[in-house]
Amino acid sequence: MPKAAAVSREATFGARSATSGPGRRAWMLGPALVAGVAYLDPGNVASNMTAGARYGYLLVWVVVLGNLIAWLVQYLSAKLGVVTGRSLPELLGTRFHRKGTRIAYWVQAELVAIATDVAEVIGGAVALQLLFGLPLVAGGVITGVVSLGLLAVQRQPRTFEFVIMGLVAVIAVGFVAGVFVAPPHPHDVVAGLVPRFDGSGSVLLAASILGATIMPHAVYAHSALARDRFALTQLPIPRLLRATRWDVSIAMAVAGAVNVCILLLAATALSGAGGTDTLEGAYAALRDGIGPVVATLFAVGLLASGLASTSVGAYAGAEIMHGLLRTGIPLLVRRAISLVPALLLLVVDADPTQALVLSQVVLSFGIPFALIPLISLTARREVLGRYRNRVLTSAAGVAASLFLIVLNGMLLVMLTAGV
């Protein structure tokens, strides 16, 4: 956005009245909690469960680091939407003057969206199979149909947020309960905070965890969610940004705690047990080792994560298409089309857990394409005016981007060399 436009928007916000009170503060929360459901999708579950089952507490530090980076990324994304009144895809669409550039960028973003759908639909299908014995293909179709119903509610943003937050509560209970039944030893948890790897397999899982934690489509979606929520608000920008920091902090605290608990549960209850590299095997091990209640809660949490995150993913995909290609298709039609790749994988009987983990690796390679433009735009005076990033904030964003790019490079070299 041109500097004059940013200043005009700030003046408009400043001229409006700013009411206060608990109700107003609660009303400002929500966009981050919706975007944050992307950090609790079945890809997270598969990556964290696999990491804990294979390597114990080794990669706890990756989950924690990923969540810290996610806080910075999601706040910057929301700030972009609040201050400019436009989403990240919209701003990129105006800056990519060549149509070919916009199309190329959209293609990579669309591949990320497809990878997201694969994880979410397969996760829901696995959960339905564990709970009710349904075939995976039937479970995938049911997950897709239910997600269509959730998207129909999206026309009423606040209702959509409440539905998603309700599913987040179910997810949290489902995945955290097992840690209270079989708590890890504090010494082991602390040891897992020391950064280190153990061969190419651990690097692969680290990239998968980061891809599942720092979701590119969540970056695109959050700027749009914040834009839509505060488009007609009467509050000044500084207050909106303070509320946004609280919103992001709450969302990331919930997501981070749940993700750590998933890994700790696997490290405590599944490490060294046979057949726990799959979600089905993990469910069986939890049922036999801790009890059917914990195993059922795990499956219910997995189902809720698939339903919630697939709806947010479809919203993000529609925003990406609209912003970059300046066109779009009805959200429900898009959702139906994007189900096809995931259902095809289920039809050909691909290994569900492996597909989930690899989908997160695809997401990790899409991170720089979302993160680098976000850091660049939020650091520009002509875009955010006096709300542009401070030097330390931009430095932290650059460091995070470099870390993710280097990690992905290491992964690519190791896989190519067959290490």
Side-chain angles (χ1 to χ4, degrees):
M1 172 179 284
K3 181 178 179 181
V7 173
S8 175
R9 177 176 171 82
E10 179 181 347
T12 301
F13 274 102
R16 295 172 179 170
S17 62
T19 57
S20 59
R24 172 67 71 178
R25 287 193 292 270
W27 174 85
M28 290 188 287
L29 302 179
L33 291 169
V34 174
V37 80
Y39 300 93
L40 297 170
D41 80 336
N44 290 84
V45 181
S47 296
N48 292 322
M49 290 292 290
T50 303
R54 289 184 184 176
Y55 297 100
Y57 303 91
L58 179 72
L59 298 179
V60 171
W61 69 273
V62 177
V63 179
V64 174
L65 178 62
N67 206 67
L68 292 175
I69 296 174
W71 187 97
L72 173 63
V73 170
Q74 294 306 134
Y75 173 67
L76 293 182
S77 176
K79 181 172 75 168
L80 191 68
V82 168
V83 177
T84 67
R86 307 178 79 177
S87 69
L88 177 59
E90 284 178 318
L91 289 168
L92 291 177
T94 61
R95 288 174 172 267
F96 295 154
H97 300 297
R98 294 184 177 180
K99 185 176 181 180
T101 303
R102 292 199 305 272
I103 292 176
Y105 194 93
W106 169 75
V107 167
Q108 67 81 25
E110 195 66 32
L111 289 175
V112 166
I114 291 173
T116 302
D117 272 329
V118 166
E120 293 154 356
V121 174
I122 289 179
V126 170
L128 288 171
Q129 184 181 66
L130 295 176
L131 289 169
F132 307 109
L134 294 177
L136 287 176
V137 176
V141 171
I142 292 174
T143 301
V145 170
V146 174
S147 70
L148 287 172
L150 292 176
L151 282 175
V153 182
Q154 194 270 334
R155 296 176 181 176
Q156 299 177 317
R158 198 56 173 160
T159 302
F160 181 65
E161 287 178 3
F162 282 130
V163 171
I164 296 299
M165 286 188 280
L167 289 172
V168 168
V170 175
I171 295 168
V173 172
F175 292 142
V176 173
V179 174
F180 288 95
V181 177
H185 194 285
H187 179 270
D188 294 329
V189 178
V190 173
L193 295 174
V194 179
R196 63 195 189 280
F197 293 112
D198 184 15
S200 61
S202 63
V203 177
L204 173 65
L205 278 172
S208 180
I209 290 171
L210 289 171
T213 303
I214 308 163
M215 304 279 277
H217 80 280
V219 178
Y220 300 123
H222 201 169
S223 58
L225 289 164
R227 172 203 65 195
D228 295 343
R229 164 58 72 83
F230 301 126
L232 301 176
T233 186
Q234 297 182 353
L235 296 175
I237 290 178
R239 185 167 182 186
L240 292 177
L241 293 180
R242 286 195 297 271
T244 296
R245 285 191 288 271
W246 276 104
D247 192 24
V248 174
S249 297
I250 293 171
M252 292 300 99
V254 172
V258 172
N259 280 316
V260 168
C261 285
I262 293 171
L263 191 149
L264 295 180
L265 176 63
T268 303
L270 307 181
S271 184
T276 55
D277 282 357
T278 67
L279 290 173
E280 299 90 337
Y283 170 84
L286 289 174
R287 181 192 60 207
D288 297 339
I290 301 180
V293 173
V294 171
T296 300
L297 288 174
F298 170 81
V300 170
L302 180 63
L303 176 60
S305 72
L307 294 175
S309 49
T310 192
S311 303
V312 176
Y315 172 87
E319 181 63 33
I320 291 167
M321 175 178 285
H322 170 73
L324 291 170
L325 301 186
R326 302 168 187 172
T327 186
I329 58 177
L331 191 57
L332 296 181
V333 175
R334 178 188 170 80
R335 168 80 285 226
I337 295 173
S338 62
L339 285 173
V340 173
L343 293 178
L344 285 177
L345 284 174
L346 294 175
V347 169
V348 300
D349 201 28
D351 179 76
T353 304
Q354 188 66 16
L356 284 172
V357 173
L358 291 178
S359 73
Q360 304 313 295
V361 176
V362 172
L363 292 178
S364 73
F365 281 99
I367 291 171
F369 292 98
L371 198 52
I372 292 175
L374 176 67
I375 302 300
S376 175
L377 288 172
T378 53
R380 295 177 179 271
R381 179 183 291 273
E382 66 269 22
V383 178
L384 293 186
R386 70 186 182 95
Y387 301 106
R388 71 188 188 280
N389 295 343
R390 297 178 180 179
V391 173
L392 288 179
T393 302
S394 293
V398 170
S401 301
L402 289 175
F403 170 75
L404 295 170
I405 292 170
V406 169
L407 179 62
N408 290 332
M410 290 171 55
L411 171 64
L412 184 61
V413 170
M414 288 183 174
L415 292 178
T416 302
V419 177

